[in-house]
Amino acid sequence: MAALLTSMAENGVRIDDRIEENEHGLFAWVYDPQGNKIELWEPSHHNKTLINLPEAE
């Protein structure tokens, strides 16, 4: 996420000052040229994802 945000900032993308980290992962927000807010999410590597869940019985 840090590398992506750095690259975006270097290319003039407006980045929200707030970055959050919680049990679900890392969240950051950027803005498109029209001012729409876009959420970026990097999943936590410590939590199981749906891919890793056991099959339902």
Side-chain angles (χ1 to χ4, degrees):
M1 177 80 73
L4 174 63
L5 292 174
T6 298
S7 177
M8 294 176 92
E10 290 172 351
N11 286 286
V13 175
R14 182 176 150 216
I15 299 172
D16 196 289
D17 292 337
R18 189 180 84 182
I19 295 176
E20 289 185 16
E21 186 170 12
N22 61 36
E23 67 273 7
H24 302 292
L26 189 62
F27 296 85
W29 295 267
V30 298
Y31 296 86
D32 72 10
Q34 290 77 35
N36 298 302
K37 193 173 190 178
I38 301 166
E39 182 175 82
L40 303 176
W41 170 50
E42 181 178 288
S44 173
H45 301 290
H46 304 290
N47 290 335
K48 291 185 177 183
T49 65
L50 292 177
I51 296 169
N52 298 328
L53 293 176
E55 292 292 321
E57 294 182 24

